[in-house]
Amino acid sequence: MGTDASHVVTAALVAGLLAGYGIAVPVGAVATYLVSLTARTSLRTGVCAALGVATADGLYALLATVGGAALAAALRPALGPLRWASALLLLALAVRGAVIAVRQYRGRRLTTRTDPAPPSPARAYLALLGITLLNPTTVIYFAALVLGTPTTDAVRPLEQGVFVAAAFLASASWQLLLAGGGALLGRVLTGRRGRLVTAVVSSGVIMGLAVRMMLPS
C-alpha cells in the first residue's frame, strides 16, 4: 500500500514538473518583458518579477486540481476578453518602456535631468503576477493534465499538493533563469546606446506578441 502511494506521489511530482516547464518554457510576451525589465533594473527586481509569474502558474495549477473541468468550462467564455485585456496591458508596458528608454537616452545627451525611479521589487512582483493571471488558458492547460491523470481518493490531497508544488518550482526555476539572463544582459549593455537599442527592440517584440494574442486563433 505504501509502495503504491509512493509511486502515485512520484508520478504527481514528475507530472507537476513537466506541467510547470511546459507552460513556462515557451518564450512569449511576458518572458520577453521579464528579461527586459531585469536588464533595465536589477537582479533583485527581476527575481521578484519572476516569482510573480511563478506564483500565478502555481495558483492556476491549484485551481485546476481543485476545480477541474467545472472551472475550466466556467473560464472559457472569458477567454476572449481576458486575452484582450492581457494584450492591451502588454502593449501599454511596451510603449511605456520604449518611451522611457528614448527619454533617458535624450535626457542624458541633452540635459542633466534625473532618470525616473525604477519599479520596486514588490511592484514588479505584483505587475507580473497580474499580467500572468490575465491568461486563463493556463488553468485550462493544467486542468486538462490533471483530469487526464487517474488518481485514487486515498492519496488525492497529497497528490494534488505535490503536483502544485512541483509546477510552481518548475515555473519559478525557469523564470529565475530568464531573470538571470536579463541581469547578465544589463551588465553587458552598460552604454546609453546599448540600453536604448535593447529597450526598443524588446518593446517591439512585446508589441508583436501582444498583437498576435489579439488575433483569432
Side-chain angles (χ1 to χ4, degrees):
M1 196 71 176
T3 303
D4 292 339
S6 176
H7 287 165
V8 172
V9 170
T10 301
L13 175 64
V14 174
L17 290 173
L18 292 176
Y21 284 120
I23 197 66
V25 168
V27 176
V30 174
T32 303
Y33 179 71
L34 171 60
V35 173
S36 175
L37 175 67
T38 310
R40 297 195 314 268
T41 55
S42 66
L43 179 60
R44 181 183 178 188
T45 300
V47 166
C48 290
L51 292 177
V53 178
T55 300
D57 287 344
L59 287 173
Y60 269 144
L62 176 61
L63 290 174
T65 59
V66 173
L71 183 60
L75 282 176
R76 284 188 189 278
L79 281 177
L82 287 176
R83 186 179 293 113
W84 273 84
S86 179
L88 291 174
L89 180 56
L90 286 167
L91 281 173
L93 289 171
V95 171
R96 181 176 181 272
V99 169
I100 289 177
V102 173
R103 188 175 297 167
Q104 287 178 345
Y105 179 77
R106 296 185 62 185
R108 289 174 180 173
R109 187 178 62 180
L110 301 176
T111 69
T112 57
R113 180 173 49 189
T114 57
D115 297 334
S120 66
R123 184 178 174 185
Y125 172 87
L126 293 175
L128 270 294
L129 172 65
I131 292 172
T132 310
L133 285 175
L134 285 173
N135 183 15
T137 54
T138 306
V139 74
I140 295 176
Y141 165 83
F142 281 121
L145 292 176
V146 172
L147 294 173
T149 305
T151 58
T152 60
D153 295 337
V155 296
R156 181 73 177 180
L158 177 59
E159 183 186 357
Q160 288 177 339
V162 171
F163 177 87
V164 172
F168 169 79
L169 291 175
S171 177
S173 65
W174 180 255
Q175 307 304 334
L176 290 172
L177 179 63
L178 292 178
L184 291 175
L185 182 65
R187 290 192 181 95
V188 172
L189 299 174
T190 54
R192 291 186 302 116
R193 187 167 299 177
R195 286 188 175 274
L196 173 65
V197 171
T198 302
V200 172
V201 170
S202 173
S203 293
V205 173
I206 294 172
M207 286 181 187
L209 292 168
V211 170
R212 185 179 178 183
M213 289 174 61
M214 293 185 286
L215 297 176
S217 55

